[in-house]
Amino acid sequence: MGETTRDPGLQPERTRLAWRRTTLTYTVVAVLAGRQVVRDDVTVAGVVAAALSALVWLAFLWVAHRRTVALDTAEPRALPVRAGVAAAVCVVGLAAFGVTVL
């Protein structure tokens, strides 16, 4: 009787959509990096950069999936610091690999 449930409103939905948009953008950038490697002269550095960008893409997908699943609860927790750092490292890594591919 004394238990109160949280009225989540639209904030968790907006956050979930933001994670989806970010994941979609990240996917497009990773695909374009791979495409750049295939279209130009294939170099070892380019192939390594494309492979590493695919790995960090998978890591980012894992972080994003865990976060969107966590938002489905009645009282979603704040984003853990480790997850935030992991997402930031993935984005910086993709940018670095993208520069290498160019």
Side-chain angles (χ1 to χ4, degrees):
M1 185 173 196
E3 181 181 328
T4 60
T5 58
R6 177 178 176 262
D7 178 21
L10 295 177
Q11 191 274 331
E13 182 64 23
R14 286 191 306 267
T15 303
R16 190 177 302 106
L17 290 172
W19 275 100
R20 286 182 183 161
R21 282 190 309 269
T22 304
T23 303
L24 178 62
T25 302
Y26 202 105
T27 302
V28 168
V29 170
V31 167
L32 289 175
R35 181 176 176 225
Q36 186 71 22
V37 169
V38 173
R39 292 186 91 199
D40 290 342
D41 295 332
V42 178
T43 63
V44 173
V47 171
V48 169
L52 289 175
S53 67
L55 286 176
V56 295
W57 173 73
L58 288 172
F60 186 82
L61 284 179
W62 181 75
V63 171
H65 174 72
R66 287 184 51 105
R67 184 59 187 156
T68 55
V69 168
L71 289 170
D72 286 338
T73 62
E75 291 188 30
R77 297 180 315 163
L79 179 68
V81 173
R82 287 177 48 186
V85 169
V89 166
C90 288
V91 170
V92 170
L94 181 66
F97 302 140
V99 168
T100 304
V101 168
L102 293 176

